Amino acid sequence: MKLIMVLYLNTGIIMSQNLFFSEYAEGSSNNKYLEIYNGGSETINLNNYQLINCRNGCDSWEHFHPFNEDTALNAADVWVFCAVDANDVIKAECNQTIANNSIFNGDDVWAIQEINTSTILDKIGEIGDDPGSGWNVAGTSNATKDHTLVRASSVGSGNGGDWASSAGTDADDSEWVILDQNTWDYLGSH
């Protein structure tokens, strides 16, 4: 019986490691969204996860956003959280809305958390002092402000909370591709 439980727990850990942010957009006005990707080969029950965030510098997580009840994310598919007042292009791909006052600016931290263990699977930004306008990514100052970030296709799992490693210092060591603000060409798939 113990062997079976260990195998089950390990399978759950492996499945959850494949859940990560595939796209982030801090567009003009309320045109903002987060895209989550299931990079595994199995469907993931999203009831076991939530998005968490804090705004403008913080010492701990302030806001918790569970996925819609009874939500499953198929392998190689995405789930998009967007602002309630996002434009029609974004809304056409949006699976779940977040109130405009809860949606983000470039200096807000976001993470995907496994609820039962409080494990951080993936994170954008850092808890702590407000970075100013946004975080640097791939050598670009304030890249999380007024840009769309798309995860490189070579990335197969979340950063486990290691934002600095994920952001990188230049285009060669970053997990992200930086696009101009209001670029939504890749929204809805990864």
Side-chain angles (χ1 to χ4, degrees):
M1 184 67 163
K2 288 182 184 179
L3 177 62
I4 292 171
M5 281 190 102
V6 169
L7 289 173
Y8 174 75
L9 288 173
N10 284 339
T11 301
I13 291 168
I14 290 168
M15 285 175 57
S16 68
Q17 288 174 342
N18 295 317
L19 193 63
F20 60 92
F21 292 114
S22 52
E23 196 163 332
Y24 162 104
E26 208 265 311
S28 59
S29 187
N30 290 309
N31 296 318
K32 303 172 189 212
Y33 62 86
L34 293 161
E35 181 184 85
I36 295 94
Y37 179 67
N38 176 359
S41 59
E42 303 289 329
T43 298
I44 296 177
N45 180 345
L46 294 179
N47 290 339
N48 300 321
Y49 305 92
Q50 62 186 346
L51 292 187
I52 55 177
N53 78 307
C54 63
R55 300 184 293 187
N56 307 322
C58 55
D59 295 325
S60 62
W61 298 109
E62 298 171 335
H63 308 281
F64 302 86
H65 309 275
F67 288 87
N68 288 338
E69 194 170 331
D70 297 324
T71 299
L73 184 58
N74 293 328
D77 202 358
V78 297
W79 187 265
V80 178
F81 274 88
C82 72
V84 170
D85 290 330
N87 72 19
D88 291 341
V89 172
I90 294 171
K91 282 185 177 178
E93 298 295 338
C94 187
N95 301 99
Q96 186 169 342
T97 59
I98 298 176
N100 291 334
N101 65 352
S102 296
I103 205 68
F104 54 92
N105 291 312
D107 62 348
D108 299 339
V109 183
W110 283 92
I112 303 170
Q113 181 185 53
E114 189 170 21
I115 295 170
N116 293 334
T117 64
S118 297
T119 300
I120 301 296
L121 306 178
D122 201 15
K123 184 170 71 167
I124 297 172
E126 295 287 358
I127 295 280
D129 293 336
D130 189 334
S133 296
W135 279 275
N136 300 341
V137 180
T140 300
S141 296
N142 299 318
T144 56
K145 178 173 177 47
D146 299 334
H147 289 97
T148 296
L149 305 180
V150 175
R151 209 66 171 266
S153 60
S154 60
V155 176
S157 62
N159 59 34
D162 185 359
W163 167 246
S165 176
S166 177
T169 58
D170 59 35
D172 293 329
D173 68 4
S174 178
E175 294 183 349
W176 297 92
V177 176
I178 304 166
L179 303 172
D180 290 337
Q181 186 180 39
N182 299 329
T183 302
W184 307 308
D185 300 344
Y186 305 99
L187 176 60
S189 65
H190 181 65

